[in-house]
Amino acid sequence: TSLRAAVKREAPQTPNPAVFNDKNLLAGIKLYAVNCAVCHGASDGEASRVAQGLYQRAPQFARHGVTDDPEGKIYWFIKHGVRLTGMPSYGATLTDAQIWQLTLFLKHMDALTREASAAWMALPSQGKHL
């Protein structure tokens, strides 16, 4: 209840300043690969060993994305994290511009441009490593 109230109160209501284009989508995919894929998976939806050991389970975004969520909510979760879960805050390690680029990718991962889709599909699986 308190998490929903905080997100409702604090999540940005303004449009995403990161324009929907290949430059921003590719930047978001690169940020996702470095910061998110280990828990949230690649395009194949396979959970990594890290993700399999998390409690609470991290959603595998290729299967259960956040494309229906408002961008402000996605941004808020990335920036602030979620306590008592494995979701860290990236507010101290990513710039606001980077968080918006990551948000852009997550919001539109089901409707990417051709170039961004190719980059997303090329992201190595996190679940098939030794």
Side-chain angles (χ1 to χ4, degrees):
T1 303
S2 62
L3 176 62
R4 281 193 297 272
V7 171
K8 185 176 180 179
R9 182 179 61 249
E10 299 171 8
Q13 301 299 316
T14 57
N16 187 338
V19 178
F20 184 87
N21 60 30
D22 280 328
K23 178 185 171 196
N24 285 323
L25 288 168
L26 292 171
I29 292 167
K30 288 177 186 175
L31 288 164
Y32 181 91
V34 171
N35 297 286
C36 311
V38 69
C39 292
H40 294 290
S43 62
D44 65 359
E46 295 292 326
S48 70
R49 290 185 176 153
V50 171
Q52 291 173 22
L54 286 175
Y55 183 79
Q56 302 174 350
R57 299 268 184 222
Q60 299 304 295
F61 287 148
R63 294 183 184 168
H64 309 286
V66 292
T67 55
D68 292 338
D69 289 348
E71 286 182 292
K73 180 179 178 181
I74 299 168
Y75 173 91
W76 191 95
F77 279 114
I78 297 167
K79 183 167 181 117
H80 298 285
V82 182
R83 68 182 177 140
L84 304 177
T85 72
M87 180 62 194
S89 164
Y90 286 96
T93 57
L94 297 178
T95 66
D96 280 348
Q98 289 173 315
I99 295 172
W100 280 117
Q101 287 172 324
L102 187 49
T103 298
L104 183 74
F105 162 63
L106 291 171
K107 176 66 177 174
H108 299 285
M109 66 190 310
D110 62 346
L112 297 171
T113 64
R114 183 175 304 153
E115 187 176 351
S117 182
W120 170 233
M121 294 309 216
L123 194 68
S125 172
Q126 298 292 307
K128 296 181 181 167
H129 295 283
L130 295 174

